[in-house]
Amino acid sequence: MGEQLDRGMEGGGRMFYNLPLELNTEDWVNILSDQEVTTKVDFNILKVVFESKNHELTASEIASQLKLPHHVAINSQISRFSKRIVYKTGIQPPKLDEDKPKWWHIPFLGYNKNGKFPWIMRPELVKAFERFLDEEINDEHVYLDEVIHDEASLMSEGIVKQVFVNRYERNRAARNKCIEHYGSQCVICGFDFEEVYGPIGKNKIHVHHLVPLSKIKHDYKVNPIYDLRPVCPNCHLIIHSKKEAFTIELNFRSSILVNKP
C-alpha cells in the first residue's frame, strides 16, 4: 500500500505518518502561486507552520497564533485546501488501509503521541515556501503601486487611481511563463527595466490580461501565452485608465497615436 508508519519511536508511544505524495517542490511552487487553489487563509496557516520550530505545530497551536477560538476551523480549512489540490493536480490523497483520505496529510507529515497530533510541513513544501517567499520579496517593487482586485468598479470615488491587477495577472506560474515566452520588454513601448537599470531590473515587468474580467467564467483557466502580455507600469496604467480597458492590439495603439502631441 506504500504506507510508511513508524510505530517504534520513543518507546512505541508515537505513530508517525509519512505516506509519500506525488508532488515535488516545483509542483508546490505552482500550487502556492495559484490563488484559486491557495487562498489567503490557506497561505496564512501554512506561513504559521513554516515559521515555527522544525516547521511543526498542532492545529490548536495554529488556531491560537491566528487568534481563532478553536482548532476545528483549521482542520476544515486544510481539508478544503487539500481537496482543491487534488482537483487541480489529479494526485491521489493519502489513505491508510481502506480508510477515508487523510486530507491534512497532503501538506503535512505528522505523528500521534499522548493525545497530541502535531503537523509537520512536508520537506518539498518547505523548499517551495522558501522559494515563494524569496520571489515575493523580489517582486515587491513590481507591484508596489498596484491595487489587487477583480473589478475596477469596486474602487471608491476619490481614491488615487493606480494600476489594477487581477488574480490572473498575479498568478506567479502564469506570469513567469508569459515572461519566459515574450521576454520582459513591454510589448507596447519596448521599455526594458534591465536595459535601463541594470541587473536589478531583470524580469521586472507587469503582465496584462487580455480577456476582460466581465467575460471570464468561474471555471476559467488562464493561458500564459494567449491571455497575458508583458507591459510596463506606464502602459499598464493607461490601459486601465477607463472602465472598459483599452485593448493592446487595436484601440490602445490607435489611442496612443491620436493623443501624441
Side-chain angles (χ1 to χ4, degrees), residues 90-110:
I91 64 167
Q92 292 297 316
K95 294 183 180 180
L96 300 178
D97 299 319
E98 299 301 321
D99 202 357
K100 295 179 180 179
K102 301 294 184 184
W103 296 112
W104 64 267
H105 202 0
I106 288 180
F108 304 116
L109 307 177

Side-chain angles (χ1 to χ4, degrees), residues 4 27-28 31 43-44 56 62 70 75 94 97 102 125 131 157 161 166 183 187 195 197-198 203 226 232 252:
Q4 299 177 38
D27 293 329
W28 279 113
I31 288 168
F43 186 85
N44 288 340
E56 173 182 332
I62 297 170
H70 202 276
N75 290 334
D97 299 319
K102 301 294 184 184
L125 179 52
R131 281 176 49 184
E157 290 292 333
K161 196 158 192 176
N166 63 52
V187 297
E195 183 178 323
Y197 297 107
N203 289 334
Y226 293 106
C232 72
F252 179 55

Side-chain angles (χ1 to χ4, degrees), residues 119-177:
W119 289 339
I120 307 169
M121 186 175 280
R122 285 186 179 269
E124 299 83 4
L125 179 52
V126 170
K127 293 177 183 177
F129 218 89
E130 290 171 347
R131 281 176 49 184
F132 187 86
L133 292 179
D134 285 343
E135 291 179 5
E136 278 289 307
I137 293 172
N138 291 335
D139 279 351
E140 245 177 39
H141 298 289
V142 177
Y143 296 106
L144 190 60
D145 295 320
E146 298 176 346
V147 176
I148 305 169
H149 80 135
D150 278 350
E151 288 292 346
S153 60
L154 296 178
M155 298 299 295
S156 301
E157 290 292 333
I159 295 179
V160 176
K161 196 158 192 176
Q162 294 176 304
V163 176
F164 293 119
V165 179
N166 63 52
R167 59 197 168 101
Y168 299 105
E169 294 167 18
R170 285 287 293 178
N171 183 313
R172 185 175 308 282
R175 180 180 182 275
N176 289 344
K177 289 177 181 177

Side-chain angles (χ1 to χ4, degrees), residues 61-125:
E61 289 169 335
I62 297 170
S64 177
Q65 291 200 33
L66 294 176
K67 302 187 185 307
L68 296 174
H70 202 276
H71 71 275
V72 171
I74 302 298
N75 290 334
S76 298
Q77 186 67 33
I78 289 299
S79 291
R80 290 191 292 269
F81 172 54
S82 296
K83 289 174 183 177
R84 287 194 294 272
I85 292 174
V86 168
Y87 178 79
K88 183 75 174 184
T89 64
I91 64 167
Q92 292 297 316
K95 294 183 180 180
L96 300 178
D97 299 319
E98 299 301 321
D99 202 357
K100 295 179 180 179
K102 301 294 184 184
W103 296 112
W104 64 267
H105 202 0
I106 288 180
F108 304 116
L109 307 177
Y111 61 89
N112 189 345
K113 181 185 177 185
N114 300 327
K116 291 187 177 181
F117 202 98
W119 289 339
I120 307 169
M121 186 175 280
R122 285 186 179 269
E124 299 83 4
L125 179 52

Side-chain angles (χ1 to χ4, degrees), residues 14-29:
R14 182 164 87 169
M15 183 166 68
F16 194 72
Y17 295 81
N18 62 345
L19 297 177
L21 195 69
E22 295 179 357
L23 292 176
N24 58 33
T25 298
E26 194 63 37
D27 293 329
W28 279 113
V29 169

